[in-house]
Amino acid sequence: METLKAEEFLNRLAECREAYWEKLNAERKSYGAEKPLSPAIVLRRLQFGVVMERKAAEVTARWVGQIPDLDLQQPMSEYVVNELKHTSILRQRIKELNGDPDALWNEPLPELKELWDFHASLTSLCELIASVQFGHEEFFPRTSKSFIERVASIDPKTASIYRDTLLADEAGHEWIAPEILSRYAQDGATQQKCLEALKRGCELFGRAIQSFNRSMPS
Ligand SMILES: [Fe+2]
Ligand SMILES: [Fe+2]
């Protein structure tokens, strides 16, 4: 692929991601991702969150030591800390609700495992960032918004955790991924690999949340 200017490259990545979002959002509604919540569904959703937060930290941590510039290395290490902090907060909430915090962590759905195995297998920082932080992590505030609206009336504490901590921290680290990609994905071959990683990541994420929604207690 010919080398794109940073801005064009980010636009290309964003276009791909948004195309997946449209497809995924239509599908989520069709398989009942937005149906009314029961306490069992809330618990399951929190258990899913434990896997997503902890895995995001784990797959990213191994690359932090290889970020050349300190002004990106430091915020990326804080990102890892935040995701682990979110894991702890979610695990604590699950315990308060008398659930098993590691139910999905210990026995992940195959599609969820496939998603994170893919991220763990990526061979460069830029591909990882394109696929996780610039990719499906951008969907988190969108799916959380409807979850917060629906959970607020039955479990205000969980709604507050999502709104006041998880999403607030998310907003604080959204700038890092585009900055890393524009600074380090400087040649056509790397940019091409990033696009492929983002597409594959979105595809696997779509499958993982579909499998998750289908496995939901009724
Ligand atoms: Fe998080
Ligand atoms: Fe996050």
Side-chain angles (χ1 to χ4, degrees):
M1 179 171 121
E2 60 170 314
T3 304
L4 300 173
K5 288 202 188 97
E7 202 186 321
E8 285 173 287
F9 171 53
L10 292 178
N11 285 341
R12 185 79 67 89
L13 287 168
E15 275 165 26
C16 273
R17 182 187 66 210
E18 295 311 312
Y20 273 96
W21 169 252
E22 273 182 38
K23 186 170 168 287
L24 188 137
N25 197 30
E27 281 171 6
R28 311 175 45 240
K29 288 175 182 155
S30 78
Y31 50 65
E34 304 218 340
K35 65 183 178 189
L37 298 167
S38 65
I41 294 179
V42 173
L43 202 57
R44 188 89 173 143
R45 172 84 188 217
L46 292 166
Q47 289 161 337
F48 185 78
V50 166
V51 178
M52 298 304 281
E53 302 280 359
R54 190 169 174 185
K55 279 287 171 189
E58 282 189 0
V59 298
T60 307
R62 63 180 277 239
W63 292 106
V64 169
Q66 297 185 41
I67 299 174
D69 298 307
L70 188 62
D71 67 325
L72 289 173
Q73 189 176 41
Q74 190 217 335
M76 226 36 217
S77 75
E78 284 165 0
Y79 166 91
V80 171
V81 172
N82 272 332
E83 301 302 29
L84 292 176
K85 182 185 82 180
H86 298 163
T87 308
S88 301
I89 292 170
L90 293 176
R91 289 185 78 264
Q92 180 56 35
R93 184 67 191 135
I94 296 168
K95 284 190 215 162
E96 288 166 6
L97 297 169
N98 298 315
D100 171 4
D102 296 315
L104 265 172
W105 178 262
N106 290 332
E107 272 175 75
L109 300 161
E111 294 82 359
L112 191 55
K113 184 173 182 321
E114 206 186 334
L115 170 69
W116 289 105
D117 285 352
F118 168 69
H119 291 316
S121 76
L122 290 169
T123 55
S124 71
L125 167 71
C126 287
E127 285 169 89
L128 189 268
I129 298 289
S131 186
V132 179
Q133 288 85 1
F134 196 87
H136 64 74
E137 202 174 338
E138 282 279 317
F139 302 153
F140 175 68
R142 310 179 196 182
T143 56
S144 297
K145 196 171 166 278
S146 99
F147 177 66
I148 292 167
E149 282 164 11
R150 286 172 299 135
V151 82
S153 59
I154 62 162
D155 182 347
K157 186 165 179 187
T158 294
S160 153
I161 287 171
Y162 270 79
R163 189 183 51 235
D164 306 325
T165 305
L166 271 54
L167 286 185
D169 287 346
E170 195 70 33
H173 65 234
E174 268 169 8
W175 67 274
I176 311 172
E179 187 57 34
I180 287 187
L181 290 166
S182 35
R183 212 181 291 181
Y184 303 132
Q186 292 271 9
D187 61 273
T190 305
Q191 291 178 343
Q192 176 73 39
K193 281 202 217 165
C194 289
L195 269 163
E196 281 161 16
L198 177 131
K199 285 182 194 165
R200 183 78 182 134
C202 284
E203 198 180 291
L204 292 173
F205 176 74
R207 280 195 225 160
I209 66 158
Q210 177 163 353
S211 153
F212 170 69
N213 279 300
R214 294 220 156 112
S215 75
M216 206 72 98
S218 49

